[in-house]
């Protein structure tokens, strides 16, 4: 499963950027810049007069079905320009076009972003199914030079030359600090002022109980520093939030600022490391300066690994000086301010192990708070938080939602809730129902359902038996998660899918690993049994199996020949070395053992499916007929499963 994540933008803070300041008393070189900028801007603007962007639905329902469309031009395989027939332009729905510049009458009048030419064509064809041949809209294709792209080459180049000229003249006269013309050195930290009260509080952060209680201490310090300082206590300066993406690190930092009602400066690590040399370091300097002026305050550095990656020996001959300078400056700043100045630096990373040890020394980021993927109970709480603003139907069962989304992060859950509301709105419902949430979950896990995707009957048959193979194999294997649904409706990139309800385990036994290999190989095995030939359709499965087998043999020490050895490297340092941490001879043994493991699992699967061949065939048939088969039908064909099926799946 790979989870899609969506950036959840938070509107509860308003941001304020530093205004550009110009050097006082220096010659008006900035006029040249302004001039150049204006020229470029006008060229850019002229070429970029774009037609109105509309959605496919609007296009189909208001234009295509009314036979208003004169022609369609597909440009660069990315967008389709719509030309409306001249005599139809007078209709009230097109009134905005006629009001525009005189050019706009000629068109193109509208544009649609298309995913791919094929899917656009097939949608168009479907939409025009009932049209007479002479009513069909003609499509032409064009390739155009993308002026924006060309300009994006020219502009930096021009700017660089001008910048250089400026530097040479200005050298020795003006200092290169924060006062320089573009304010390169100024931090882009967003300042969230105290007057604009942040609405994010601990109430918006669900689960994460331990992390919250640790963070509460920081809030308390920011609010009542005296209670601590009068006893001579030293307040931590730097706190590292460690956890996978989407677990709420940013949210937590914002909540701290919100609870303590202090200014919040946030900057992403990748913003430190930019094109111009020396910028990162001076940004750091400036960020701390601003924060200290507003103390008590919070600095939040997201993705600190972008700057703080360890400077190991392996990196020496390809050192990134810029990054190193930035890191050094960060360390200097951290050491430079006293313990009790009232500035607390929070940083977020998803990999604490690759950070430079210097960052983690006492007095720097010496406190670590771990944010982990939520457990079932925590997921329930996160659902509750995100269901608050949603109008939900009575049948919504939060407990079931939580148990159907194992391994999901807080961001995934926020995404599901939003998706569900969108789905319900599209269906013009009064409230969001349980089925909308389920659909949203499937979409977040597997991508969009694509019922319109055209596959030939033969292909469909292969997909049906392939999926039936996964289903039957997993049904009769003791250690595979509960199967809840099999579908051959194309979704995202895949043509079919089997849905499991994973149990949450921290430890996986060898037997379970092998059963999982077999279940994943079930698709390919079924193809071989039913059609006596194999297809390319098992690529994803085979990739997964191969990777899994390598981790079993080389990392988890689950192979008898190799024994309890692990070549796993938790520090990530080996990634940078060429070559492997074992000999050629060992490499050969590993390869051989991995192959043997997969082949034997495959044979075992074939055997298992042959034993249940009639069931495999009837499930394949049913899938071809129904496209989606649920637990009830699965049990009818395959019998009750020996493995206990969690009760909540049944209803
Ligand atoms: P990170 O910084 O760890 O990648 P974010 O803080 O940006 O994650 O989380 C993204 C979004 O996911 C948040 O804006 C919030 O809507 C949701 N979210 C994540 N964790 C939680 C949580 N524990 N409680 C409520 N919402 C959460
Ligand atoms: Zn498969």
């Amino acid at each position: 499963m790979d989870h899609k994540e969506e950036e959840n933008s938070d509107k509860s803070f308003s941001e304020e950027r530093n205004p550009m300041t110009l050097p006082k008393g220096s010659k008006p070189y900035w006029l040249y810049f302004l001039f150049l900028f204006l020229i470029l801007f006008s060229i850019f603007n002229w070429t970029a007069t774009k037609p109105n962007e509309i959605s496919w639905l609007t296009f189909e329902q208001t234009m295509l079905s009314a036979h208003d469309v004169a022609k369609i031009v597909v440009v660069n395989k990315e967008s389709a320009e719509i030309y409306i027939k001249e005599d139809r332009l007078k209709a009230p729905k097109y009134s905005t076009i006629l009001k525009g510049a005189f050019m706009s009458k000629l068109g193109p009048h509208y544009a649609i972003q298309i995913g791919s030419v094929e899917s656009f064509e097939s949608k168009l064809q479907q939409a025009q199914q009932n049209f007479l041949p002479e009513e069909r809209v003609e499509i032409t294709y064009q390739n155009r030079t993308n002026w924006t792209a060309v300009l994006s080459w020219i502009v930096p180049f021009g700017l660089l030359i001008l910048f250089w000229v400026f530097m040479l003249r200005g050298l020795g006269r003006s200092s290169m600090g924060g006062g320089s013309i573009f304010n390169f050195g100024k931090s882009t930290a967003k300042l969230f002022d105290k007057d604009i009260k942040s609405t994010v509080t601990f109430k918006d952060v669900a689960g994460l109980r331990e992390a919250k209680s640790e963070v509460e201490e920081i809030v308390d310090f920011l609010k009542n520093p005296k209670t601590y300082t009068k006893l001579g206590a030293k307040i931590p300066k730097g706190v590292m939030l460690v956890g996978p993406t989407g677990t709420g690190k940013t949210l937590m930092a914002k909540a701290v600022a919100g609870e303590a009602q202090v200014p919040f400066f946030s900057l992403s690590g990748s913003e430190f490391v930019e094109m111009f040399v020396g910028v990162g370091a001076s940004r750091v300097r400036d960020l701390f300066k601003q924060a200290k002026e507003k103390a008590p305050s919070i600095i939040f550095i997201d993705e600190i690994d972008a700057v703080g990656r360890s400077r190991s020996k392996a990196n020496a001959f390809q050192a990134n000086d810029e990054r190193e300078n930035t890191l050094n400056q960060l360390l200097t700043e951290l050491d430079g301010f006293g313990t009790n100045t009232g500035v607390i630096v929070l940083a977020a990373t998803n990999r604490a192990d690759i950070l430079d040890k210097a960052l983690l020394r006492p007095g720097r980021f010496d406190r670590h708070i771990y944010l982990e993927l939520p457990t079932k109970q925590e997921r329930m709480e996160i659902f509750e938080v995100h269901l608050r603003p949603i109008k939900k139907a009575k049948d919504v069962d939060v407990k079931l939602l939580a148990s159907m989304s194992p391994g999901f992060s807080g961001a995934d859950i926020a995404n599901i809730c939003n998706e569900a509301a969108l789905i319900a709105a599209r269906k013009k419902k009064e409230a969001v129902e349980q089925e909308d949430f389920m659909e949203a979950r499937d979409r977040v896990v597997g991508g969009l359902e694509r019922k319109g995707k055209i596959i030939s009957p033969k292909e469909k048959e292969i997909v049906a038996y392939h999926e039936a193979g996964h289903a039957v194999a997993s049904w009769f294997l003791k250690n595979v998660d509960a199967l809840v649904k099999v579908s051959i409706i194309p979704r995202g990139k895949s043509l079919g899918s089997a849905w499991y309800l994973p149990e949450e385990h921290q430890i996986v036994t060898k037997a379970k690993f092998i059963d999982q290999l077999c279940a994943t190989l079930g698709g390919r095995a079924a193809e071989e049994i039913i059609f006596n030939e194999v297809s390319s359709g098992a690529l994803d499965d085979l990739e997964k199996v191969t990777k899994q087998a390598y981790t079993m043999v080389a990392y988890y020490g689950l192979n008898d020949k190799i024994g309890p050895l692990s070549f796993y490297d938790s520090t990530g340092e080996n990634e940078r070395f060429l070559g492997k941490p074992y000999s050629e001879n060992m490499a050969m043994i590993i390869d051989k053992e991995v192959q043997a493991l997969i082949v034997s699992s495959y044979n075992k699967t074939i055997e298992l499916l042959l034993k249940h061949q009639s069931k495999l065939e009837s499930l394949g048939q049913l899938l071809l007929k129904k496209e989606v088969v649920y637990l009830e039908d699965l049990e009818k064909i395959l019998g009750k499963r020996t493995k206990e099926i969690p009760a909540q799946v049944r209803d």
Side-chain angles (χ1 to χ4, degrees):
M1 274 194 291
D2 44 36
H3 299 164
K4 276 201 245 149
E5 270 175 56
E6 230 177 48
E7 284 279 287
N8 277 36
S9 61
D10 230 296
K11 293 273 150 53
S12 41
F13 290 110
S14 77
E15 37 182 283
E16 205 180 273
R17 295 236 161 199
N18 297 303
M20 278 222 284
T21 52
L22 294 165
K24 279 175 235 131
S26 67
K27 284 205 172 155
Y29 293 113
W30 57 276
L31 268 178
Y32 303 168
F33 281 90
L34 201 67
F35 193 53
L36 183 87
F37 180 72
L38 280 178
I39 293 175
L40 289 173
F41 188 74
S42 55
I43 295 174
F44 178 79
N45 226 14
W46 171 63
T47 48
T49 322
K50 284 209 185 98
N52 264 347
E53 195 127 352
I54 53 168
S55 71
W56 165 264
L57 215 61
T58 327
F59 166 66
E60 190 190 353
Q61 288 175 351
T62 65
M63 299 167 199
L64 192 63
S65 60
H67 301 297
D68 285 351
V69 181
K71 63 172 179 174
I72 297 175
V73 180
V74 172
V75 182
N76 295 345
K77 300 186 182 160
E78 292 172 344
S79 65
E81 292 180 342
I82 315 290
Y83 292 76
I84 302 291
K85 288 180 189 157
E86 232 182 290
D87 50 335
R88 303 294 171 96
L89 275 176
K90 293 187 192 81
K93 59 183 167 187
Y94 301 122
S95 58
T96 47
I97 290 181
L98 289 184
K99 273 188 214 136
F102 76 103
M103 281 288 284
S104 58
K105 237 177 261 186
L106 300 173
H109 303 106
Y110 295 101
I112 304 182
Q113 288 299 327
I114 61 177
S116 74
V117 177
E118 286 81 352
S119 76
F120 179 72
E121 280 175 348
S122 75
K123 270 202 282 193
L124 195 65
Q125 200 183 11
Q126 260 192 351
Q128 302 193 84
Q129 248 166 14
N130 305 325
F131 287 18
L132 298 173
E134 66 269 21
E135 285 171 347
R136 298 231 163 118
V137 179
E138 150 201 36
I139 313 187
T140 52
Y141 298 87
Q142 279 183 11
N143 276 325
R144 285 188 205 151
T145 321
N146 188 344
W147 282 105
T148 333
V150 174
L151 276 180
S152 73
W153 276 99
I154 296 174
V155 171
F157 213 68
L159 285 181
L160 211 68
I161 291 171
L162 275 175
F163 185 66
W164 217 48
V165 171
F166 174 80
M167 287 258 295
L168 285 182
R169 301 226 184 157
L171 220 72
R173 216 182 319 140
S174 67
S175 73
M176 267 298 295
S180 87
I181 196 154
F182 272 143
N183 253 336
F184 280 137
K186 282 277 178 195
S187 90
T188 51
K190 297 162 206 153
L191 165 63
F192 303 109
D193 218 309
K194 202 151 124 190
D195 311 328
I196 310 151
K197 289 231 160 69
S198 133
T199 51
V200 180
T201 62
F202 284 147
K203 265 206 227 95
D204 301 297
V205 186
L208 303 173
R209 217 153 283 123
E210 282 163 39
K212 250 199 240 176
S213 72
E214 290 202 42
V215 146
E216 255 154 25
E217 204 184 63
I218 297 170
V219 174
D220 197 41
F221 163 67
L222 287 165
K223 276 186 174 159
N224 328 298
K226 289 218 181 74
T227 15
Y228 293 83
T229 48
K230 85 175 174 222
L231 295 177
K234 278 190 190 153
I235 308 300
K237 284 194 249 179
V239 178
M240 186 77 73
L241 301 169
V242 187
T245 33
T247 41
K249 299 184 289 296
T250 313
L251 189 73
M252 189 67 106
K254 280 182 184 169
V256 172
E259 289 281 340
Q261 291 296 307
V262 297
F264 179 72
F265 296 83
S266 99
L267 199 76
S268 168
S270 51
E271 282 173 64
F272 280 134
V273 190
E274 281 190 17
M275 212 158 58
F276 293 94
V277 180
V279 174
S282 91
R283 281 219 170 126
V284 172
R285 212 176 304 133
D286 198 68
L287 174 65
F288 278 80
K289 197 170 133 235
Q290 284 188 38
K292 271 185 266 183
E293 278 164 13
K294 296 256 178 183
S297 61
I298 286 180
I299 295 176
F300 176 62
I301 305 173
D302 204 358
E303 299 175 51
I304 193 156
D305 31 325
V307 231
R309 218 167 241 282
S310 84
R311 304 165 286 186
S312 70
K313 276 180 242 120
N315 234 4
F317 46 90
Q318 42 146 10
N320 183 344
D321 282 340
E322 172 57 5
R323 200 169 53 75
E324 207 147 293
N325 287 340
T326 311
L327 176 57
N328 284 335
Q329 188 64 41
L330 186 61
L331 297 176
T332 314
E333 291 292 341
L334 276 170
D335 294 343
F337 71 87
T339 324
N340 298 326
T341 35
V343 179
I344 290 186
V345 189
L346 298 177
T349 177
N350 47 8
R351 293 194 63 187
D353 50 311
I354 60 166
L355 290 178
D356 201 290
K357 297 284 172 290
L359 261 179
L360 308 176
R361 259 185 229 136
R364 294 168 179 169
F365 290 101
D366 47 5
R367 272 223 187 176
H368 294 194
I369 298 181
Y370 290 90
L371 283 77
E372 278 170 22
L373 286 175
T375 61
K376 187 173 148 199
Q377 179 59 34
E378 287 171 327
R379 288 198 300 274
M380 244 164 84
E381 290 166 22
I382 299 175
F383 265 112
E384 301 277 7
V385 166
H386 291 282
L387 286 174
R388 254 187 251 151
I390 289 179
K391 198 168 166 218
K392 48 197 176 295
K394 282 212 180 63
D395 71 340
V396 174
D397 180 351
V398 181
K399 204 166 164 198
L400 179 56
L401 288 176
S403 61
M404 297 291 277
S405 46
F408 284 34
S409 69
D412 292 330
I413 292 176
N415 195 5
I416 289 181
C417 292
N418 189 47
E419 251 333 301
L422 290 176
I423 291 170
R426 212 170 295 139
K427 293 182 185 158
K428 306 250 179 316
K429 286 188 186 172
E430 286 295 313
V432 191
E433 291 168 13
Q434 181 78 6
E435 58 170 32
D436 303 320
F437 284 101
M438 295 314 236
E439 200 178 325
R441 183 199 77 116
D442 289 356
R443 183 179 291 187
V444 169
V445 179
L448 215 58
E449 235 176 42
R450 298 194 299 172
K451 289 201 165 123
K453 184 164 179 150
I454 297 153
I455 37 177
S456 72
K458 175 72 192 165
E459 276 173 338
K460 204 164 168 182
E461 214 182 325
I462 296 178
V463 176
Y465 284 104
H466 178 104
E467 295 307 327
H470 284 305
V472 174
S474 66
W475 197 265
F476 294 104
L477 290 164
K478 218 171 57 227
N479 297 304
V480 182
D481 297 322
L483 179 71
V484 285
K485 172 174 128 183
V486 190
S487 144
I488 55 164
I489 299 172
R491 185 187 276 283
K493 265 195 290 181
S494 70
L495 296 173
S497 44
W499 301 81
Y500 298 90
L501 183 69
E503 285 165 37
E504 281 157 76
H505 289 297
Q506 306 295 325
I507 293 173
V508 182
T509 60
K510 185 174 173 183
K512 187 171 165 104
F513 265 125
I514 291 178
D515 279 4
Q516 273 170 355
L517 290 183
C518 292
T520 313
L521 287 165
R524 160 62 70 102
E527 286 179 42
E528 187 171 338
I529 291 174
I530 304 283
F531 303 105
N532 224 344
E533 67 176 355
V534 284
S535 75
S536 65
L539 174 64
D540 285 352
D541 295 341
L542 299 186
E543 183 189 350
K544 207 157 104 195
V545 164
T546 311
K547 282 197 180 134
Q548 169 107 254
Y550 268 104
T551 59
M552 286 170 67
V553 173
Y555 290 171
Y556 292 123
L558 295 177
N559 179 275
D560 294 333
K561 263 228 186 83
I562 295 169
L565 269 73
S566 174
F567 300 107
Y568 183 67
D569 172 34
S570 62
T571 60
E573 261 162 33
N574 277 329
E575 278 170 27
R576 300 203 203 90
F577 291 111
L578 302 170
K580 301 196 163 70
Y582 40 77
S583 68
E584 279 305 309
N585 189 29
M586 181 55 96
M588 237 149 70
I589 304 178
I590 291 177
D591 289 343
K592 222 156 89 201
E593 288 302 302
V594 165
Q595 194 190 13
L597 176 63
I598 296 177
V599 169
S600 77
S601 303
Y602 185 67
N603 291 338
K604 201 175 135 196
T605 315
I606 291 263
E607 221 171 274
L608 183 69
L609 291 186
L610 280 175
K611 197 169 131 203
H612 300 285
Q613 190 168 355
S614 62
K615 291 174 181 155
L616 176 66
E617 278 166 17
S618 21
L619 182 57
Q621 287 301 325
L622 190 69
L623 266 172
L624 278 172
K625 209 170 79 196
K626 284 195 166 177
E627 296 204 316
V628 188
V629 173
Y630 294 96
L631 190 60
E632 209 180 15
D633 284 326
L634 287 171
E635 279 183 345
K636 260 186 220 150
I637 294 177
L638 304 170
K640 281 257 185 293
R641 200 174 170 209
T642 35
K643 190 184 168 70
E644 181 79 12
I645 291 170
Q648 72 268 38
V649 186
R650 294 192 167 273
D651 19 78

